Amino acid sequence: MNRCWRTCGRGSKALASPRRRGGAAIVEAAGSGADWVMSAIVGAAGLAPTLAAARGGSIIALANKESLVCAGPALLAIARRAGGAVIPVDSEHSAIFQVFRPDCAEQVRRLILTASGGPFREWSQAAMSEATREQAVAHPNWSMGAKISVDSATMMKRAWR
């Protein structure tokens, strides 16, 4: 495989492939055997590069929860077999990871994840059943884009987590 290395930033190296573009280049870079790979591509599109990083034995800093939803047990097993690891770095996943001792997991009966409430915090269930897309994206604290706002407002983000 013809690989070119270019210097970026403070002398760190980044993989660039003159033969691949788009998704194939991302998968190639993720599977290049780097010590650490940040997996932060949104949605199922992040699965192939994350699996490539796992097969390459990298430590994966996982900010893409969909990779776990789509292939959690397989991803973890592949990483373990290749000598790598998966470390959650996004929101609640990271918080849970940071407070858990792996040898004590059987002592935890349940986890409760809280939510800020979003635009429907004070609404009744009946009123929420009539909510519109426009109302769902009207988050009282920030703008996250339509999909994430709707996922957040409907608690779908909590279901993923």
Side-chain angles (χ1 to χ4, degrees):
M1 179 183 300
N2 182 14
R3 292 184 177 172
C4 305
W5 293 91
R6 61 183 165 86
T7 302
C8 53
R10 300 154 122 180
S12 60
K13 303 284 184 177
L15 176 66
S17 174
R19 297 183 338 181
R20 301 201 194 285
R21 300 199 189 293
I26 294 169
V27 170
E28 179 183 342
S32 68
D35 293 340
W36 284 78
V37 171
M38 170 63 92
S39 174
I41 296 173
V42 176
L47 181 59
T50 303
L51 287 170
R55 288 185 196 101
S58 298
I59 296 170
I60 301 166
L62 188 67
N64 168 310
K65 65 183 98 6
E66 291 85 358
S67 291
L68 283 180
V69 170
C70 294
L75 171 63
L76 297 174
I78 291 166
R80 198 174 308 114
R81 275 196 307 270
V86 177
I87 299 174
V89 296
D90 185 36
S91 59
E92 290 91 349
H93 297 104
S94 183
I96 292 167
F97 174 79
Q98 291 176 50
V99 300
F100 259 114
R101 287 186 34 206
D103 57 329
C104 297
E106 70 280 351
Q107 296 176 5
V108 177
R109 188 171 42 104
R110 70 181 175 163
L111 293 170
I112 299 172
L113 300 179
T114 61
S116 65
F120 304 137
R121 181 178 182 161
E122 303 294 327
W123 289 35
S124 69
Q125 191 170 2
M128 282 190 278
S129 70
E130 302 293 323
T132 66
R133 178 187 179 282
E134 290 73 25
Q135 291 168 316
V137 298
H139 195 284
N141 299 319
W142 51 77
S143 175
M144 303 175 282
K147 183 192 181 317
I148 293 173
S149 292
V150 170
D151 285 353
S152 178
T154 60
M155 300 300 285
M156 192 61 199
K157 284 182 70 173
R158 291 299 178 268
W160 286 116
R161 290 177 178 157

